[in-house]
């Protein structure tokens, strides 16, 4: 049976584009001269985009900073398995959508919808779609990181933000995000570290050398986090760090 479905799949892939077009799937026009590509190439392009999309989501949005801060918070609380990885990833993903919604909306309004309505061609739509993400990344990227990658690549001195190539902006943006995430994580770690030190000092003064300080400090850290409404503070801090 598996061989039967494999033969059917192979036949669909090698079938001429007109057979797919007869089902209502039209060939896409890419170039300014009206050159069109077959439906098979369209499917190949879509499948390739789907494999690259997770990397783009991580590298060109706020996801990197959010997931690192949440991971550091989990370690600082002393609960390396709670919340689980699935919960942290889901929380980071939905918070990313919240922060990036104006950028997504702008790209959709200025690039995707005009392209789907045949008002502009792909050569115009792609730069228009990338422009909001460039603006977002430039706003979050440190000048020192841009200068470092420009020096490494041997590029000409950058005169304005419009002259920054995407190949240089992406690594500089990721580097800046890592620095910012660890700075926020350091500030989050301090109060939990103080609790650990106080508990360890009290246990040593009482001669309880064999009792792990982590077991005693964990309830106090959880209580502190709940009393200050820690999750709301973390979400607010992360969101505000992008809008400021």
């Amino acid at each position: 049976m598996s061989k039967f479905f494999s033969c059917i799949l192979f036949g669909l892939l090698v079938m001429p584009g007109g057979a797919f077009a007869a089902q209502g799937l039209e060939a896409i026009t890419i170039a300014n001269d009206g050159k069109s590509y077959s439906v098979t190439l369209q499917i190949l392009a879509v499948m390739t985009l789907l494999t690259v999309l997770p990397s783009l989501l991580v590298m060109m949005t706020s996801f990197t900073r959010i997931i690192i801060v949440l991971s550091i918070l989990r370690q600082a609380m002393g609960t390396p398995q709670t919340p689980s990885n699935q919960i942290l990833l889901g929380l980071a993903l939905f918070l990313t959508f919240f922060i990036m919604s104006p950028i997504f909306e702008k790209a959709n309004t200025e690039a995707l919808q005009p392209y789907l309505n045949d008002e502009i061609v792909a050569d115009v739509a792609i730069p228009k779609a990338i422009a909001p993400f460039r603006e977002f990344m430039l706003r979050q990227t440190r000048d020192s990181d841009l200068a470092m990658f420009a020096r490494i690549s041997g590029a000409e001195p950058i005169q304005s933000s419009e002259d920054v190539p995407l190949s240089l902006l992406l690594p500089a943006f990721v580097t800046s995000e890592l620095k910012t995430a660890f700075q926020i994580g350091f500030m989050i770690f301090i109060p939990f570290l103080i609790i650990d030190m106080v508990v360890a000092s009290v246990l040593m003064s009482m001669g309880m050398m064999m009792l792990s300080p982590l077991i005693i400090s964990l309830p106090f850290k959880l209580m502190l986090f709940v009393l200050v409404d820690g999750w709301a503070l973390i979400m607010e801090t992360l969101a505000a760090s992008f809008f400021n």
Side-chain angles (χ1 to χ4, degrees):
M1 184 64 69
S2 60
K3 292 183 179 179
F4 174 73
F5 285 111
S6 300
C7 293
I8 293 179
L9 180 60
F10 179 77
L12 291 175
L13 292 177
V14 300
M15 189 179 296
F20 287 95
Q23 302 296 327
L25 192 58
E26 300 178 353
I28 190 171
T29 301
I30 297 295
N32 292 326
D33 57 0
K35 183 179 179 181
S36 61
Y37 292 85
S38 66
V39 180
T40 305
L41 290 179
Q42 293 181 45
I43 297 174
L44 179 62
V46 171
M47 296 303 294
T48 303
L49 180 61
L50 290 177
T51 59
V52 178
L53 190 60
S55 298
L56 295 178
L57 176 64
V58 171
M59 294 295 110
M60 298 179 64
T61 64
S62 57
F63 184 85
T64 302
R65 183 188 304 184
I66 295 171
I67 193 61
I68 291 177
V69 170
L70 293 179
S71 299
I72 294 177
L73 170 64
R74 187 172 64 176
Q75 295 292 329
M77 292 176 62
T79 56
Q81 302 299 328
T82 304
S84 64
N85 292 332
Q86 291 82 358
I87 295 177
L88 286 188
L89 288 173
L91 182 59
L93 186 62
F94 287 118
L95 187 58
T96 298
F97 286 146
F98 169 76
I99 295 172
M100 301 295 296
S101 57
I103 290 90
F104 292 150
E105 182 64 27
K106 187 175 181 180
N108 178 64
T109 303
E110 297 182 358
L112 181 59
Q113 292 303 322
Y115 174 73
L116 294 178
N117 295 329
D118 294 329
E119 298 175 5
I120 57 176
V121 295
D123 292 344
V124 179
I126 292 176
K128 283 181 174 291
I130 294 177
F133 292 92
R134 282 180 53 90
E135 181 181 353
F136 170 79
M137 290 188 291
L138 283 170
R139 191 168 61 248
Q140 304 298 328
T141 304
R142 293 176 172 83
D143 293 337
S144 59
D145 294 326
L146 280 174
M148 178 188 68
F149 282 99
R151 184 177 66 255
I152 294 174
S153 62
E156 297 293 331
I158 300 173
Q159 303 298 331
S160 63
S161 59
E162 289 77 12
D163 298 332
V164 180
L166 197 61
S167 59
L168 190 150
L169 178 58
L170 273 173
F173 170 72
V174 174
T175 303
S176 296
E177 286 295 282
L178 291 174
K179 291 181 180 178
T180 304
F182 277 92
Q183 288 175 352
I184 298 175
F186 173 76
M187 300 302 297
I188 293 174
F189 222 107
I190 289 178
F192 297 107
L193 180 62
I194 292 175
I195 294 177
D196 286 334
M197 294 175 61
V198 170
V199 170
S201 299
V202 172
L203 290 178
M204 289 183 64
S205 63
M206 297 176 63
M208 298 182 179
M209 302 297 182
M210 303 301 295
L211 184 61
S212 174
L214 296 178
I215 299 177
I216 306 300
S217 63
L218 179 59
F220 290 99
K221 290 189 287 187
L222 294 177
M223 181 180 64
L224 173 65
F225 194 70
V226 171
L227 289 177
V228 300
D229 198 6
W231 287 113
L233 288 176
I234 295 297
M235 297 300 106
E236 181 182 2
T237 301
L238 287 172
S241 66
F242 290 98
F243 289 108
N244 291 339

